[in-house]
Amino acid sequence: MSSQLFSVIDELLRSPDAVAERVRRREDLRPLVTAALLALGLGAGTFGAVLASSRGGVQLGYSAVKLPLAVLVTLCLCVPAFAAIARSLGRNIDLGGMVGLSLSAAARASLVLLAFAPAVWFLLDRGVGYHASVLISAICYGFAGLSALRVMAAGLGRDGRGIGILLCCAAVLLPTGAQSAWMLRPFIGRPAQAHVPFLRHKEGSFADAVYQSAFSSVGRYRSSPSRFCDEEICE
């Protein structure tokens, strides 16, 4: 059984087309789903712990749990919509197949994050600051997301219809994933925080934060004390 799991994980990394073919043939997807969950937990969990290494302590455990959880929550919310979009636009893929395909894409992205983990750990150990850490993690997420797209594109087709389905799925995934991660933050941990919370207070939404940051980036600070300047947030 373990050799089969490692074989599927190797397939996730080396041959997205073979993974997509498994889904299209509608063969037994249990080995694929099991291997994908294992890869997701290992890859995203390790990367989450590495992000928290500059803070240390319980933040390591928190981030190792929350990053895979953020991915799984996002998939639970998005996969039914993915299946409905694909079926409505003419792709013959059922909910079970979309679960296998989406989990495989997330697992491949997590394995890419695992590959980035040693380099990110080295940079954090060399004293990279909080804001640089956020930027580095965002770049890693971007590359991981591109690797996931390879699996989704192979499963949905690379013709015009498949690209259209992929774009519609991305329009669902991006805001949902961003909000899920926002609700489960922090992953790195601000240096000014005296205590490490498992979750921060709600403080609006991800869209609110983007709006706020857009003004702050040009020197127009619109924060209110109740939402943005309590002692757990402000540095």
Side-chain angles (χ1 to χ4, degrees):
M1 182 65 179
S2 59
S3 61
Q4 184 182 27
L5 288 177
F6 284 117
S7 175
V8 174
I9 289 174
D10 182 69
E11 198 172 74
L12 285 170
L13 281 171
R14 295 175 180 269
S15 184
D17 290 335
V19 173
E21 185 60 28
R22 282 176 178 264
V23 175
R24 281 194 293 267
R25 290 200 306 263
R26 300 186 183 183
E27 62 181 48
D28 184 9
L29 294 178
R30 283 177 293 182
L32 177 62
V33 170
T34 302
L37 288 171
L38 177 64
L40 194 158
L42 176 64
T46 301
F47 190 78
V50 166
L51 286 181
S53 61
S54 59
R55 175 74 193 226
V58 295
Q59 185 67 49
L60 288 168
Y62 288 170
S63 296
V65 170
K66 289 195 295 182
L67 192 55
L69 183 59
V71 176
L72 289 173
V73 167
T74 300
L75 290 179
C76 288
L77 293 172
C78 291
V79 168
F82 292 170
I85 290 169
R87 298 281 288 189
S88 65
L89 294 179
R91 281 290 182 262
N92 188 23
I93 181 169
D94 59 13
L95 180 59
M98 186 59 77
V99 168
L101 187 64
S102 301
L103 264 178
S104 299
R108 192 167 197 257
S110 298
L111 291 171
V112 171
L113 290 178
L114 181 61
F116 279 127
V120 174
W121 196 351
F122 174 78
L123 291 173
L124 295 178
D125 186 62
R126 299 297 295 175
V128 170
Y130 171 77
H131 295 289
S133 301
V134 173
L135 179 60
I136 290 169
S137 65
I139 292 171
C140 293
Y141 295 146
F143 278 106
L146 290 175
S147 71
L149 284 178
R150 176 98 182 269
V151 178
M152 294 296 291
L156 296 173
R158 296 186 175 92
D159 57 354
R161 180 175 296 179
I163 292 172
I165 295 170
L166 191 61
L167 291 174
C168 290
C169 290
V172 174
L173 176 68
L174 292 176
T176 306
Q179 184 63 27
S180 297
W182 175 257
M183 297 296 291
L184 289 170
R185 75 197 193 289
F187 296 98
I188 298 175
R190 289 181 179 271
Q193 286 178 312
H195 304 286
V196 178
F198 183 74
L199 298 174
R200 283 194 196 150
H201 299 300
K202 185 178 177 182
E203 301 161 15
S205 67
F206 177 76
D208 293 332
V210 171
Y211 177 77
Q212 177 72 18
S213 297
F215 283 97
S216 299
S217 65
V218 294
R220 296 174 61 188
Y221 299 100
R222 301 165 64 90
S223 59
S224 64
S226 62
R227 290 178 58 188
F228 296 101
C229 287
D230 59 32
E231 68 173 340
E232 289 189 352
I233 304 169
C234 293
E235 298 183 304

